[in-house]
Amino acid sequence: MTKLNVLIAGSTGYIGIELVKILSKHKNVSVKYLCGNTSVGKKISFYDKSFNSKILPKIVKFNKSYLKNVDVIFTALPNGEAQDISKSLLPKNVLIDIAADFRLNSSKNYSKWYKQKHRAPNNIKKSIYSLPEITGKVIQNFKIISCPGCYPTSILLPLIPLVKKNMIKLKSIIADSKSGYSGAGRGVHKIYAKKNLYNSLKAYGVGFHRHNSEIEQELKKYTKNENINIIFTPHISPMFKGILSTIYIETKNGVSLKKLNKVLKNTFAKKQFVKIKKINSLISTNDVINTNECHISICKTKYRNKYVILSAIDNLIKGGSGQAVQNMNISFKFKETLGLIWK
C-alpha cells in the first residue's frame, strides 16, 4: 500500500523524539518533514544517537507549503502553535495534536485554564478529544484529533468505566500522580540548574493544574449532569519517565471491590494496551516503561467502600507519542497496534 507522508512539528522535544522513533519504524509511514525552531539545519541524531543509522530528513522550520505534501501532521508544540497550523489545513490533512490546543471543548474554558486566547476557535467544533480505548472509531469522522494529557490518560482510563456505571461517588475522588521529570520538558534542567533534580520530589499546580480541566470535562460526559469534584495533585519525581497515579475513590451503594474490578476487566478485555491486574497488585512504572500500555490495579483499604486505584503509564509513550500513533492507526483504519508493540 502507499505510505502515509507525515510531518512532525516539535520533533526534538522528549515526546517528539519518541514519536520519530515510532514512526520511523512504522511500515505504513514515511517521515517527510521534521520541524523545529532552534534546531533547524541539524540532524535528529544530534538529539538522540539511536538515529545514527536511520535515513531521516534534516530539521526544517515549519512552512504551511509543506501541507500539500503530507497526509498527517503531528504537533508536539508549545500551547497555541497547533491552533495556527490548523487554520492552514488542506482537505487531505489530518492533524494529531499532542499538546493542549484542542483538548477543551470551548474557547472560554481554554482561555480560563491556559491564560491565552484560543487562536482557532472555529476549529474546536471540528476536533475530537480521543482517548483511543474510550473514543474508538468515531475519530475517523474528524480531521483534528486531540490527544489527552499524560496525567489525564492515567486517571481517565480507570475512572471513566466506573463513572459510566454510576459505581463511585463523584465528590470524593482524589488523584495523586507522580511523573518522571521528562514530563516537564527539556527546560526542566534549567529550572533545576542549581537544585537537586535527581534526588528530589516536588508537588506543583496544587489544586489548579491545567489537567484538572480535561479530567473533569471528560468525566462529566458520563455523570448525567451530576457535579463532579476531583482533587488532582501532580508531582515531578527524580526518575526520567513514567507516571504512577494513585486514585482514591469511594463506592456507591456498597459496590464491592470485585464488582469494580469486573467492570474494568470487561471494559478493556479486547483492548491490547490496557492491562487490568489482579486485585491488590502493587504495580510500578517499571512495568510499563518503553511500552504503550497502561496497567491498572484496584486495592482494598481498611475502610468499607473506600478503595485505591493504581494506574501506571509511560508518560512519553502512552501519555504522548504512542497514544498519538494509536489514534493515527484508528483514524486511517490500520490495525490499532501497528508499530506499537516492541519485543
Side-chain angles (χ1 to χ4, degrees):
M1 66 167 290
T2 303
K3 292 187 176 184
L4 295 176
N5 287 318
V6 165
L7 180 152
I8 303 170
S11 57
T12 63
Y14 287 132
I15 284 180
I17 289 291
E18 294 290 346
L19 188 56
V20 177
K21 287 180 181 178
I22 295 170
L23 292 174
S24 64
K25 298 175 184 177
H26 196 293
K27 72 176 187 177
N28 290 352
V29 165
S30 175
V31 178
K32 187 81 171 175
Y33 300 105
L34 298 176
C35 297
N37 288 316
T38 59
S39 56
V40 168
K42 293 178 180 177
K43 293 182 177 180
I44 195 71
S45 57
F46 178 83
Y47 297 92
D48 192 298
K49 300 303 179 187
S50 69
F51 294 121
N52 279 336
S53 61
K54 295 279 186 181
I55 300 175
L56 289 163
K58 282 188 176 181
I59 300 165
V60 294
K61 190 172 182 64
F62 175 81
N63 189 302
K64 65 181 181 181
S65 66
Y66 299 154
L67 297 179
K68 67 180 181 293
N69 301 321
V70 299
D71 304 292
V72 186
I73 302 94
F74 288 94
T75 46
L77 296 166
N79 293 323
E81 294 189 22
Q83 297 164 19
D84 294 333
I85 292 174
S86 77
K87 292 185 284 187
S88 300
L89 293 177
L90 303 175
K92 65 177 288 189
N93 298 144
V94 171
L95 173 65
I96 301 177
D97 184 37
I98 309 175
D101 282 13
F102 294 96
R103 288 178 187 159
L104 300 186
N105 55 21
S106 78
S107 57
K108 182 178 179 181
N109 282 343
Y110 180 84
S111 298
K112 173 185 175 182
W113 286 95
Y114 287 88
K115 309 303 179 187
Q116 63 186 56
K117 187 177 180 180
H118 200 287
R119 306 203 286 259
N122 292 335
N123 282 340
I124 293 175
K125 63 180 178 294
K126 300 176 185 177
S127 69
I128 186 169
Y129 181 98
S130 181
L131 188 61
E133 284 80 10
I134 303 296
T135 313
K137 294 180 181 179
V138 68
I139 66 171
Q140 293 167 1
N141 300 318
F142 291 83
K143 292 292 188 178
I144 300 174
I145 298 169
S146 179
C147 299
C150 50
Y151 290 121
T153 297
S154 69
I155 293 167
L156 291 172
L157 280 171
L159 284 185
I160 285 177
L162 305 182
V163 170
K164 194 173 182 180
K165 292 286 187 179
N166 196 30
M167 301 178 85
I168 62 175
K169 294 184 178 180
L170 302 179
K171 295 186 177 180
S172 57
I173 302 171
I174 298 172
D176 179 291
S177 300
K178 310 291 193 298
S179 173
Y181 61 82
S182 60
R186 292 190 184 277
V188 72
H189 297 283
K190 293 180 181 179
I191 297 170
Y192 277 82
K194 296 182 180 179
K195 299 177 183 177
N196 201 342
L197 171 63
Y198 306 108
N199 289 290
S200 64
L201 181 67
K202 179 187 178 182
Y204 67 105
V206 177
F208 298 95
H209 189 279
R210 291 167 171 176
H211 284 177
N212 274 284
S213 55
E214 64 181 279
I215 293 169
E216 292 190 1
Q217 170 186 278
E218 294 307 302
L219 290 178
K220 281 180 180 177
K221 292 178 179 178
Y222 307 97
T223 62
K224 297 178 181 178
N225 297 320
E226 187 178 349
N227 287 331
I228 184 164
N229 295 330
I230 180 166
I231 297 174
F232 162 60
T233 306
H235 303 74
I236 294 177
S237 75
M239 61 188 180
F240 174 63
K241 64 177 182 172
I243 285 177
L244 181 65
S245 286
T246 306
I247 307 164
Y248 304 88
I249 60 170
E250 185 174 0
T251 57
K252 292 181 176 178
N253 305 316
V255 172
S256 69
L257 180 59
K258 287 184 178 180
K259 285 183 180 179
L260 295 174
N261 202 61
K262 184 177 181 181
V263 165
L264 291 182
K265 275 190 167 294
N266 290 343
T267 299
F268 299 113
K270 296 181 180 179
K271 305 299 182 182
Q272 179 79 26
F273 296 122
V274 180
K275 312 291 186 185
I276 308 303
K277 298 300 183 177
K278 290 181 180 179
I279 288 171
N280 295 321
S281 293
L282 302 180
I283 60 176
S284 77
T285 55
N286 186 59
D287 303 321
V288 295
I289 292 299
N290 297 323
T291 78
N292 193 51
E293 295 180 357
C294 175
H295 288 194
I296 298 169
S297 166
I298 307 183
C299 304
K300 65 181 180 181
T301 72
K302 61 184 177 181
Y303 300 108
R304 186 173 180 271
N305 299 331
K306 292 186 177 183
Y307 303 99
V308 174
I309 300 172
L310 302 176
S311 179
I313 64 170
D314 183 316
N315 60 303
L316 300 182
I317 300 181
K318 185 58 176 168
S321 58
Q323 184 155 249
V325 173
Q326 190 179 349
N327 275 324
M328 180 197 73
N329 286 341
I330 297 170
S331 181
F332 286 88
K333 301 180 182 179
F334 301 151
K335 186 177 180 182
E336 189 171 338
T337 59
L338 189 61
L340 291 170
I341 296 176
W342 312 283
K343 293 182 180 179

